[in-house]
């Protein structure tokens, strides 16, 4: 269920980014949260916060306090993320493409050796090497990591999605 | 059939004819046409008699006829005419009368009566534009006319102003106000001013108004104008562009002619295209050219013309004009892998390590060479249309992203590992 939501989240992020939206939201789940935090850590998103069905005020986002999580409101909680646009490139979205790799039907895991090849831009069948500005987010035993973080920590894992400009 | 039978038939017919009573033999044959028979036609009662035989062509008879039909003016008629016309007109009338001999009128003068006759009999008082030539009321233009000098111009203006002064008023000893009042009344100053500015006489020795609505052509060797209509040759061109081909491009791009000529332009696609009109096919040549300075600038130009040479020239100039900077990694390959699609043609271009060379189809090879890329691999997995492949390749090259810009968007620091590893000595 969680992986399915990650796939939906990827599609939604790409659609929202290409539509030049300022912020968007998706269901607040464990997998979604870990992916959103990783994307934010690597600079693809401007902020990630938990919120209700109403969006938080973007002007005061740095001091935004979500309501406490209770069993009563947990099902209505959403993750609100801010999307980034590149002013130097004429307002092109920073997150231009995000494609899911693992699907609920077919989990795809990659070992460290192949990750190293991919990160150098070399193909590792069936995966194409990373292009300029691209990245792969994967779930490992050390948490959800970017491909370069995973290589740094010498760990492979489950490929969640491929992110690119 | 018996041989005797025809004989018997013949004999019996002959005998039958002999037995009949003799009919009167027909004198004329059966008529085969509807016109009257020759015997029935009427003959003229008189033979045609020539005029000479009657004596009508003798000089006396001719003169007599002429005097009767075309009589000269009698003194009484002349008196009436003198009352009507001036002396000059009368002289012209008499000269005209004397010029035409009544004998000529008698012998040659014929009045046409056919339906196609000209609707007038030498009526020179009217001009029929279809029949008559346009009258030239003015003198032909003076071929030696020239522009006025400053003194002549001043004199012309003075003459115009003097012509405006009314002649029948004595301006002497009149006070200034009176003079101005009279002038205001008698002269329409705005109209005269407009006339002076709108119909200026700039030539000295011109014959005034012309027979043509077109202004008279200036002389070929007009002083002060001679040689000024040649295209100006810029000494900065070093004599490389006497035809003025590159002047427009020079103005648009700011390049010197030497720089323009140094740019390598090449024709990649030629197509013969047809415009089907009701008069037939009009064949034109469509040319796609690229231009590159071999150092990261590339332009594409397409032009069409009925003349192939014109299309080639136009396409090359447009390509130079359209040159844009192309991003190159280490001045030898591109940043990352790029892809572009035009129509059914997809061009995929991938960066390659130093010394790899150009592995691309011939048109893409020319593009890479002209832009100054030395290591690259290009693939066209689908269509290989010549025009689309060139356009898609240029689009792909232009779609390269700037890594610094991407890094700035993500808020990260960008480091080129090759440069770090080789200490900046990569090329």
């Amino acid at each position: 269920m969680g992986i399915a939501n990650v796939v939906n989240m990827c599609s939604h992020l790409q659609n929202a980014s290409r539509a030049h939206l300022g912020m968007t939201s998706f269901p607040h789940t464990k997998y979604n949260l870990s992916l959103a935090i990783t994307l934010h850590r690597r600079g693809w998103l401007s902020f990630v916060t938990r919120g209700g069905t109403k969006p938080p005020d973007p002007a005061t986002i740095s001091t935004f306090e979500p309501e406490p999580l209770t069993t009563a409101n947990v099902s209505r909680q959403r993750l609100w993320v801010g999307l980034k646009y590149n002013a130097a490139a004429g307002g092109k979205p920073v997150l231009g493409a995000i494609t899911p790799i693992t699907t609920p039907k077919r989990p795809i895991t990659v070992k460290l050796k192949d990750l190293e090849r991919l990160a150098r831009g070399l193909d590792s069948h069936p995966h194409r090497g990373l292009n300029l500005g691209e990245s792969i987010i994967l779930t490992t035993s050390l948490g959800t990591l970017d491909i370069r973080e995973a290589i740094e920590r010498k760990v492979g894992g489950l490929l969640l999605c491929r992110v690119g400009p | 059939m018996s041989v005797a039978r025809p004989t018997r038939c013949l004999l019996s017919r002959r005998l039958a004819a002999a037995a009949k009573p003799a009919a009167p033999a027909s004198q004329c044959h059966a008529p085969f046409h509807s016109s009257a028979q020759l015997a029935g036609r009427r003959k003229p009662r008189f033979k045609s008699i020539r005029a000479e035989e009657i004596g009508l062509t003798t000089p006396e008879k001719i003169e007599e006829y002429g005097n009767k039909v075309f009589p000269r003016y009698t003194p009484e008629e002349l008196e009436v005419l003198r009352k009507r016309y001036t002396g000059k007109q009368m002289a012209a009338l008499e000269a005209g009368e004397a010029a035409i001999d009544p004998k000529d009128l008698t012998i040659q003068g014929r009045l046409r009566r056919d339906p196609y006759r000209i609707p007038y009999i030498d009526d020179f008082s009217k001009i029929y534009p279809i029949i008559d030539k346009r009258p030239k009321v003015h003198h032909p233009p003076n071929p030696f006319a020239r522009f006025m000098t400053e003194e002549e111009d001043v004199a012309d203006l003075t003459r115009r102003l003097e012509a405006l002064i009314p002649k029948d008023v004595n301006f002497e000893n009149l006070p200034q106000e009176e003079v101005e009042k009279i002038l205001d009344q008698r002269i329409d100053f705005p109209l005269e001013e407009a006339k002076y500015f709108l119909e200026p006489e700039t030539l000295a020795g011109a014959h005034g108004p012309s027979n043509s609505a077109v202004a008279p052509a200036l002389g070929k060797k007009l002083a002060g104008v001679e040689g000024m209509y040649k295209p100006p040759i810029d000494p900065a061109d070093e004599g490389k562009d006497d035809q003025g081909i590159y002047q427009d491009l020079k103005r648009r791009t700011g390049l010197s002619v030497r720089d323009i000529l140094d740019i390598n332009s090449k024709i990649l696609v030629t197509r013969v295209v047809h415009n089907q009109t009701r008069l037939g096919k009009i064949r034109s040549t469509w040319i796609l050219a690229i231009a590159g300075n071999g150092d990261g600038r590339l332009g594409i130009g397409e032009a069409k013309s009925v003349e192939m040479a014109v299309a080639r020239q136009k396409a090359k100039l447009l390509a130079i004009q359209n040159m844009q900077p192309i991003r190159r990694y280490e001045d030898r390959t591109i940043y990352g892998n790029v892809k572009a699609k035009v129509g059914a043609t997809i061009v995929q271009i991938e960066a390659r390590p130093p010394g790899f060379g150009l592995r691309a189809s011939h048109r893409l090879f020319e593009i890479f060479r002209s832009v100054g890329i030395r290591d690259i691999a290009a693939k066209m997995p689908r269509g290989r249309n010549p025009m689309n492949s060139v356009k898609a390749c240029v689009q792909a090259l232009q779609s390269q992203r700037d890594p610094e810009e991407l890094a700035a968007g993500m808020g990260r620091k960008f480091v080129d590992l090759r440069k770090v590893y080789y200490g900046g000595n990569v090329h």
Side-chain angles (χ1 to χ4, degrees):
Chain A
M1 196 62 200
I3 294 296
N5 276 337
V6 163
V7 173
N8 291 346
M9 172 189 163
C10 291
S11 306
H12 182 70
L13 266 181
Q14 178 170 304
N15 290 341
S17 193
R18 288 184 182 180
H20 285 80
L21 302 186
M23 69 166 78
T24 186
S25 70
F26 30 82
H28 177 243
T29 65
K30 191 176 67 181
Y31 282 97
N32 279 1
L33 180 65
S34 63
L35 177 57
I37 286 173
T38 311
L39 287 174
H40 176 251
R41 189 171 67 240
R42 300 303 291 180
W44 297 101
L45 300 174
S46 58
F47 64 85
V48 180
T49 178
R50 179 169 59 79
T53 47
K54 297 274 171 55
D57 182 17
T60 56
I61 195 72
S62 54
T63 57
F64 176 75
E65 279 292 328
E67 59 181 327
L69 204 60
T70 62
T71 49
N73 67 7
V74 68
S75 61
R76 289 193 303 277
Q77 291 297 299
R78 296 185 72 77
L79 280 172
W80 289 90
V81 295
L83 302 170
K84 291 167 92 173
Y85 299 95
N86 207 333
K92 278 187 185 168
V94 169
L95 183 73
I98 173 164
T99 42
I101 301 171
T102 290
T103 58
K105 191 177 177 183
R106 189 173 176 223
I108 292 170
T109 53
V110 165
K111 289 179 181 168
L112 178 64
K113 201 179 77 180
D114 293 332
L115 281 185
E116 285 168 346
R117 275 184 66 81
L118 290 175
R120 288 204 300 271
L122 305 169
D123 294 350
S124 172
H125 190 78
H127 309 292
R128 301 302 306 270
L130 291 185
N131 197 359
L132 187 74
E134 271 189 340
S135 176
I136 289 175
I137 313 287
L138 63 160
T139 298
T140 65
S141 54
L142 302 175
T144 306
L145 302 174
D146 181 48
I147 183 169
R148 293 180 181 89
E149 291 171 335
I151 292 166
E152 210 171 302
R153 298 192 184 190
K154 301 196 183 304
V155 63
L158 183 74
L159 301 190
L160 285 182
C161 60
R162 179 183 280 248
V163 201
Chain B
M1 196 173 141
S2 164
V3 180
R5 192 172 171 189
T7 320
R8 197 165 62 234
C9 285
L10 194 66
L11 284 173
S12 66
R13 189 170 289 180
R14 182 77 190 102
L15 290 173
K20 276 185 184 173
S26 175
Q27 288 301 311
C28 64
H29 302 284
F32 291 113
H33 48 82
S34 59
S35 57
Q37 291 180 359
L38 276 175
R41 280 185 195 166
R42 274 185 64 188
K43 282 184 181 173
R45 281 186 294 174
F46 308 105
K47 275 189 170 179
S48 49
I49 305 167
R50 293 173 183 274
E52 292 103 21
E53 291 171 19
I54 305 179
L56 291 178
T57 53
T58 56
E60 300 82 43
K61 276 281 181 186
I62 289 172
E63 199 178 342
E64 186 193 329
Y65 178 82
N67 286 337
K68 197 176 91 186
V69 180
F70 309 109
R72 294 192 172 274
Y73 286 121
T74 60
E76 294 84 47
E77 284 171 338
L78 282 175
E79 275 304 310
V80 173
L81 288 174
R82 268 195 203 97
K83 284 176 190 163
R84 180 92 186 263
Y85 296 113
T86 62
K88 277 186 180 176
Q89 287 172 329
M90 281 309 295
L93 266 174
E94 280 164 8
E97 285 286 315
I100 300 172
D101 193 349
K103 190 185 166 192
D104 292 342
L105 279 174
T106 309
I107 295 170
Q108 301 174 347
R110 293 282 184 279
L111 289 180
R112 288 178 64 175
R113 301 194 187 284
D114 55 312
Y116 311 109
R117 64 183 178 270
I118 298 167
Y120 62 99
I121 312 162
D122 286 358
D123 182 2
F124 293 119
S125 66
K126 283 186 181 175
I127 305 287
Y128 290 84
I130 295 175
I131 302 159
D132 298 325
K133 280 191 174 175
R134 188 187 292 269
K136 301 208 167 180
V137 289
H138 303 298
H139 292 283
N142 181 9
F144 300 107
R146 56 177 177 77
F147 284 118
M148 286 177 180
T149 59
E150 269 186 41
E151 295 84 46
E152 282 168 337
D153 200 28
V154 171
D156 180 61
L157 180 60
T158 316
R159 187 178 48 73
R160 275 170 184 268
L161 291 176
E162 280 174 356
L164 292 179
I165 298 169
K167 297 283 181 289
D168 52 346
V169 183
N170 187 11
F171 286 102
E172 277 187 32
N173 303 326
L174 272 180
Q176 183 69 23
E177 296 91 44
E178 282 289 318
V179 171
E180 284 183 0
K181 198 175 161 192
I182 290 170
L183 287 180
D184 278 343
Q185 278 175 355
R186 300 284 291 272
I187 304 168
D188 188 356
F189 277 106
L191 183 71
E192 296 296 336
E193 198 178 319
K195 264 191 191 171
Y196 178 69
F197 282 111
L198 295 178
E199 306 162 7
E201 187 66 65
T202 50
L203 292 176
H207 284 164
S210 157
N211 287 316
S212 162
V214 182
L218 296 174
K220 279 187 179 172
K221 292 188 173 177
L222 212 57
V225 184
E226 190 183 351
M228 286 178 66
Y229 285 92
K230 283 180 191 166
I233 295 172
D234 191 353
D237 297 346
E238 303 162 5
K240 291 178 187 295
D241 187 25
D242 289 346
Q243 305 293 320
I245 296 167
Y246 301 108
Q247 294 303 311
D248 194 33
L249 186 62
K250 198 174 80 169
R251 188 173 54 76
R252 283 171 191 275
T253 59
L255 296 168
S256 68
V257 173
R258 176 189 283 271
D259 292 342
I260 290 173
L261 290 173
D262 281 347
I263 289 168
N264 173 32
S265 61
K266 193 162 181 73
I267 285 161
L268 289 190
V269 190
T270 304
R271 293 203 305 196
V272 177
V273 293
H274 297 87
N275 177 18
Q276 177 74 53
T277 69
R278 67 198 170 98
L279 302 174
K281 285 175 183 166
I282 299 173
R283 292 158 63 92
S284 308
T285 312
W286 179 89
I287 302 274
L288 190 148
I290 55 152
N293 63 350
D295 194 23
R297 284 180 75 83
L298 179 68
I300 185 167
E302 43 189 312
K304 189 172 68 170
S305 172
V306 175
E307 291 294 326
M308 186 159 182
V310 174
R312 291 170 73 99
Q313 182 81 54
K314 270 162 70 180
K316 283 184 174 181
L317 292 182
L318 274 174
I320 294 172
Q321 185 186 320
N322 293 340
M323 285 209 307
Q324 298 280 334
I326 299 288
R327 191 166 279 128
R328 289 181 302 162
Y329 177 63
E330 291 178 358
D331 290 348
R332 57 168 189 86
T333 185
I334 62 167
Y335 284 95
N337 307 335
V338 286
K339 190 164 93 170
K341 180 171 180 287
V342 173
T345 305
I346 293 178
V347 173
Q348 296 171 343
I349 311 175
E350 295 177 2
R352 284 292 179 262
F356 185 84
L358 298 177
R359 288 192 202 170
S361 75
H362 60 291
R363 288 192 183 86
L364 308 192
F365 175 90
E366 292 294 345
I367 295 174
F368 297 137
R369 190 168 67 166
S370 68
V371 79
I373 288 173
R374 295 192 300 278
D375 304 308
I376 210 143
K379 240 190 267 180
M380 283 190 283
R382 282 173 53 183
R384 293 179 182 81
N385 177 292
M387 178 186 79
N388 288 346
S389 60
V390 173
K391 286 184 177 176
C393 182
V394 174
Q395 273 187 19
L397 287 176
Q398 285 173 345
S399 70
Q400 291 176 67
R401 302 293 298 268
D402 180 11
E404 296 280 1
E405 185 187 283
L406 293 178
M410 291 167 68
R412 303 186 70 82
K413 187 183 172 190
F414 167 76
V415 173
D416 186 357
L417 275 183
R418 264 179 63 82
K419 274 187 188 161
V420 174
Y421 190 84
Y422 294 109
N425 304 319
V426 284
H427 55 93

